[in-house]
Amino acid sequence: MAKEIIYLTAEGYKKLKDELDHMRSVERPAISAAIAEARDKGDLSENAEYDAAREAQGLLELRIAKMEDTLSNARIIDETKIDKSKVQILSKVTLKNLNNNKEVTYTIVAEHEANLKEGKLAIGTPIAKALLGKKKGETVEVTVPAGVLKFEILDINI
């Protein structure tokens, strides 16, 4: 089975790589030290500290493995080769919500980089899917759990 390719910005890739480096160089040694300290306290069969440290180690190793897998399948998007005439990944889209006449701006990003507080909308969301391939001036209808939203695309940037 083919691995899923994950598209990231250079900034998003660096952020994930830094997080992985932190887990390997800071968190992993700290958990190893906690296990050693708990082991020194005697009987391991009734040592809750030891059990907790081993569980934390297992969870950390799982996070590290997932992060390594993500980075191994990541492709960095070359922003200079993006067509600015239509909405696609990395497009910064200014929309007018025709239901309430409010303007919002989103940047369409990969799932791993999504953060609504920063205006970064995951490409897999209903709104992003509806916007993909559309051009400035087009109207888009999106069905979301709260109902149907109508947007007019006011601007597309990178």
Side-chain angles (χ1 to χ4, degrees), residues 10-11 21 24 28 42-43 48 52 66 70 76-77 88 91 105 112 116 127-129 132 152 154-155:
E11 173 189 345
D21 291 343
R24 286 177 175 160
R28 188 183 266 166
D43 186 11
K66 282 185 177 181
T70 296
I76 297 175
I77 300 167
Q88 54 189 331
S91 293
T105 300
H112 292 82
L116 266 182
I127 294 173
K129 285 181 180 179
L132 290 177
E152 179 184 352
L154 299 178
D155 198 21

Side-chain angles (χ1 to χ4, degrees), residues 81-109:
K81 295 183 179 173
I82 294 177
D83 180 2
K84 296 174 179 87
S85 69
K86 60 185 175 186
V87 179
Q88 54 189 331
I89 194 162
L90 287 191
S91 293
K92 187 174 186 176
V93 186
T94 302
L95 306 169
K96 181 178 183 180
N97 184 331
L98 298 177
N99 298 3
N100 60 16
N101 286 327
K102 291 187 178 179
E103 287 187 20
V104 291
T105 300
Y106 295 118
T107 301
I108 311 296
V109 297

Side-chain angles (χ1 to χ4, degrees), residues 4-9 12-13 15-16 70 75 77 89-90 107-116 120-129 132:
E4 177 188 355
I5 294 175
I6 298 161
Y7 294 98
L8 297 171
T9 61
Y13 184 87
K15 191 174 180 182
L16 287 178
T70 296
R75 301 294 179 267
I77 300 167
I89 194 162
L90 287 191
T107 301
I108 311 296
V109 297
E111 303 290 335
H112 292 82
E113 295 183 67
N115 184 337
L116 266 182
K120 294 180 178 180
L121 190 64
I123 198 161
T125 61
I127 294 173
K129 285 181 180 179
L132 290 177

Side-chain angles (χ1 to χ4, degrees), residues 125-149:
T125 61
I127 294 173
K129 285 181 180 179
L131 292 171
L132 290 177
K134 302 293 191 268
K135 297 181 181 214
K136 183 177 176 177
E138 288 190 54
T139 302
V140 178
E141 282 191 20
V142 184
T143 303
V144 294
V148 177
L149 301 175

